[in-house]
Amino acid sequence: MSLTEVSDEIKVNRAKKNMLWFGIISLTMSFAGLTSAYVVSKERPDWISNFEIPPAFYISLALILVSSFTIHLALKAIKKEKHSMGMILLVSTLILGILFIVFQFVGFSEIIDSGYNFTGPTSNITTSFIYLVVLLHVAHVFAGLVSLLIVIYNHYKLKYQNGKTLGVELAATFWHFIDVVWIYLFLFLYFVK
């Protein structure tokens, strides 16, 4: 089948998927740049080399991993037109995403309680970098939550039927991306000190 024989709907769907991948690649480069700056900054004399990841970040890791699993199952259920199961799994993913953000802020509190501040005269470059990178990721999780809310609404309105599941597919792809980014950031902060 030639490109001119492809339906307009297929072309639009392909364009939307390509736009998402373009955004994902751009965001990946942003996080790579920030973590590269982190590595370069380690040479500073005021760098904290014994910084420990707060316990709440471990819980966040577990939450985001489970949420990636639930959105994967939601997509499968919706494709099989199991509407109730799809809704349960979408809402579960949303709740896990909200809990992820809550535990990120609990982690910030744990860092501050350990005597490290993110800004102000008592801050240092190490915690400022951690704050910036993690907060940027939280912003992307928030964007993922907004997309999940839209998908939940559309699923409630029964818009994902007869193989038309592009919205769920795009949301799931983005959600898996933010999952992979957190795994990368967590491992980066754990091993690069």
Side-chain angles (χ1 to χ4, degrees), residues 23 41 56 58 82 87 90 115 117 133 136 142 144 151 157 171 182 187 191:
S41 295
Y58 289 89
K82 296 180 179 178
M87 184 61 79
L90 286 172
N117 293 306
V133 171
L136 183 62
F142 183 76
V151 167
K157 292 291 191 178
W182 180 246
L187 293 174
F191 288 110

Side-chain angles (χ1 to χ4, degrees), residues 31-166:
F31 281 106
L34 284 170
T35 53
S36 296
Y38 184 95
V39 170
V40 170
S41 295
K42 282 183 8 165
E43 303 305 317
R44 292 173 51 118
D46 59 344
W47 191 261
I48 301 171
S49 58
N50 62 348
F51 178 81
E52 295 294 326
I53 293 176
F57 284 9
Y58 289 89
I59 296 169
S60 292
L61 178 64
L63 290 167
I64 202 84
L65 287 171
V66 173
S67 74
S68 198
F69 186 65
T70 57
I71 198 156
H72 172 73
L73 293 177
L75 177 60
K76 286 178 72 170
I78 291 168
K79 282 185 174 184
K80 292 179 181 176
E81 299 198 12
K82 296 180 179 178
H83 300 291
S84 296
M85 181 55 68
M87 184 61 79
I88 290 167
L89 290 164
L90 286 172
V91 171
S92 298
T93 305
L94 181 73
I95 292 168
L96 289 165
I98 292 168
L99 288 172
F100 173 85
I101 291 176
V102 167
F103 276 94
Q104 293 292 277
F105 284 99
V106 170
F108 290 152
S109 295
E110 291 172 350
I111 292 170
I112 292 168
D113 291 345
S114 297
Y116 300 114
N117 293 306
F118 299 111
T119 60
T122 58
S123 68
N124 62 59
I125 190 69
T126 310
T127 54
S128 294
F129 257 116
I130 291 167
Y131 182 70
L132 173 68
V133 171
V134 173
L135 205 55
L136 183 62
H137 182 260
V138 166
H140 290 90
V141 173
F142 183 76
L145 291 174
V146 171
S147 70
L148 273 174
L149 285 170
I150 293 166
V151 167
I152 288 168
Y153 175 78
N154 286 338
H155 185 59
Y156 175 76
K157 292 291 191 178
L158 300 175
K159 292 190 177 185
Y160 304 121
Q161 295 186 42
N162 304 319
K164 296 181 189 265
T165 58
L166 181 66

